[in-house]
Amino acid sequence: MPTVLDDTLLDDPTRLAEADSSGLLRAAAMAGAQVRATAEAAAELELSERLDMGRPRAVVLIDRPGVSRTLTRLLAALLTPSCPVPVVVAEVVPSWIGALDVVFAHTDDPGDRELAASLERAARYGASVVLSAPPEGPVAAAVAGKGLLLAPRIPVPAELAFPRGLAAGLLTANALGLLVSDVQVLADQLDLEAEKDYLARDSFANPAKALALRVADRVPLLWGLDPVAVAVGEHAAHAFAAHAATVCDVEDYRQALARPALRRAAQSGGRERDIFADPDDLSGDIPTRVLLLSVRTGPATDAARFQAEDLLPGADVIAPAEEIEADEIVRAAVLALRFELAAVYLGLAAGSIGGAGRFAPARA
């Protein structure tokens, strides 16, 4: 017999705390603390002063496995519209790297030898290197004395280190004069989001729990209405896979709608499931949940939202701008944290990350 999601767990704080034996909810809620600790480390390293080099030729964001991949995509989406220099996302340092370039990388794998060799070559060719990584191992050694290392001060699992890496990237962009972001405001808003999503709050008043319940037993279709929202959706998909073993589809909504079969499934899959349906019957429509993500504001985003809602009347729209007054950097980070917590809640309720979140139905 298939197992069934134990959604009662989400509104039982005692059972939730017991199920979360690894302390993932607490670690995720420390997002604001990660940002503040990274800002303190940057200040002690005099990051702004040491990157006072004028306008660089290019900014290279190194894309490695884990949250590095999603945070570099988000940084690129935030930088690209107004950045006066090229922003390059690559898995390794490009061959053309030189003294006028800046390289930023985040990793929680201190033994990533490919990254270590890549950063060592960048430093040897005179590029400015900013690294967010553990202080030991080949990766840190590659930039010792030649680059700026922002080591973690708040211990969290690698899959929850997104706020630290994002803060390091934002501080680097700030120091170069390429982006204006207030990381203290960012930390405060992440704290407020963590309070809203606290495990003792019931699902109807807890955005992360409500989000987890909306996507439970469905295929989440995370379709962005703007490039920043698509990048957040990529991080959400990583979080759902990491914590809840849930596979998501992430795409710009226009590209998503250009796929006829999935579009038809999305238009018909938003209906509530029949509680009397045979769980072993895999025929019929794919049970999907369309989440339209919107981070930016303005006429273009409004037009996209109007079109998407018209074509997908059953879709849920998640737009942080309707909840908080903040810039798009803060809105993106808050939405990313909400998805992280939703993924952890879903993983606990499904039993995919510690605890007995699943229960077997009684047999006759």
Side-chain angles (χ1 to χ4, degrees), residues 4-357:
V4 180
L5 187 75
D6 184 5
D7 54 4
T8 63
L9 179 72
L10 296 183
D11 286 329
D12 189 331
T14 300
R15 290 177 60 210
L16 257 180
E18 292 174 353
D20 187 19
S21 57
S22 299
L24 293 178
L25 288 173
R26 181 176 182 275
M30 296 179 73
Q34 288 191 62
V35 171
R36 291 188 186 89
T38 304
E40 290 172 0
E44 292 175 10
L45 281 175
E46 298 181 335
L47 180 70
S48 295
E49 292 78 5
R50 296 174 68 177
L51 286 182
D52 186 11
M53 54 181 287
R55 180 176 295 180
R57 181 180 63 167
V59 175
V60 180
L61 307 175
I62 303 300
D63 173 350
R64 301 305 295 171
V67 299
S68 171
R69 175 154 299 176
T70 59
L71 74 87
T72 52
R73 304 293 172 85
L74 178 55
L75 285 170
L78 291 168
L79 279 166
T80 300
S82 60
C83 189
V85 303
V87 178
V88 179
V89 177
E91 292 185 358
V92 295
V93 172
S95 59
W96 47 259
I97 204 71
L100 298 179
D101 303 314
V102 175
V103 175
F104 170 78
H106 168 87
T107 184
D108 277 284
D109 179 7
D112 186 341
R113 294 191 177 276
E114 184 179 36
L115 175 60
S118 187
L119 294 180
E120 192 279 330
R121 183 164 57 84
R124 186 171 70 250
Y125 289 164
S128 298
V129 178
V130 181
L131 173 64
S132 167
E136 69 283 340
V139 174
V143 301
K146 297 171 285 187
L148 298 169
L149 174 63
L150 295 170
R153 296 185 173 184
I154 305 293
V156 298
E159 62 271 20
L160 294 174
F162 183 87
R164 171 169 63 85
L166 179 61
L170 291 173
L171 289 164
T172 301
N174 275 357
L176 295 170
L178 303 179
L179 193 67
V180 178
S181 59
D182 189 329
V183 293
Q184 298 301 327
V185 171
L186 172 59
D188 291 342
Q189 288 294 335
L190 289 174
D191 284 344
L192 290 174
E193 179 63 27
E195 289 178 13
K196 293 179 184 177
D197 301 326
Y198 183 55
L199 64 85
R201 298 190 68 173
D202 292 334
S203 298
F204 68 86
N206 186 315
K209 288 183 181 180
L211 183 54
L213 289 171
R214 289 294 287 167
V215 302
D217 300 319
R218 290 176 179 267
V219 177
L221 308 181
L222 309 177
W223 293 348
L225 300 178
D226 58 77
V228 176
V230 174
V232 174
E234 291 181 349
H235 180 65
H238 175 79
F240 278 125
H243 301 297
T246 296
V247 177
C248 306
D249 179 69
V250 183
E251 193 54 88
D252 176 276
Y253 90 98
R254 287 159 294 202
Q255 180 66 21
L257 293 176
R259 300 172 294 181
L262 188 56
R263 172 177 172 172
R264 288 194 295 271
Q267 290 174 323
S268 63
R271 299 188 299 265
E272 295 305 318
R273 301 182 72 181
D274 183 358
I275 62 174
F276 300 108
D278 181 358
D280 290 328
D281 182 6
L282 301 180
S283 63
D285 295 331
I286 301 172
T288 61
R289 177 73 71 195
V290 180
L291 303 180
L292 296 173
L293 312 182
S294 175
V295 174
R296 287 185 172 152
T297 57
T301 301
D302 292 342
R305 177 171 174 175
F306 177 81
Q307 180 185 19
E309 288 184 302
D310 182 57
L311 293 172
L312 301 163
D316 292 350
V317 177
I318 304 179
E322 297 176 352
E323 303 175 39
I324 59 174
E325 293 185 7
D327 60 27
E328 69 179 36
I329 298 170
V330 172
R331 294 196 296 267
V334 166
L335 185 55
L337 175 58
R338 183 173 300 176
F339 272 113
E340 281 189 352
L341 285 160
V344 173
Y345 280 126
L346 187 59
L348 292 172
S352 57
I353 46 170

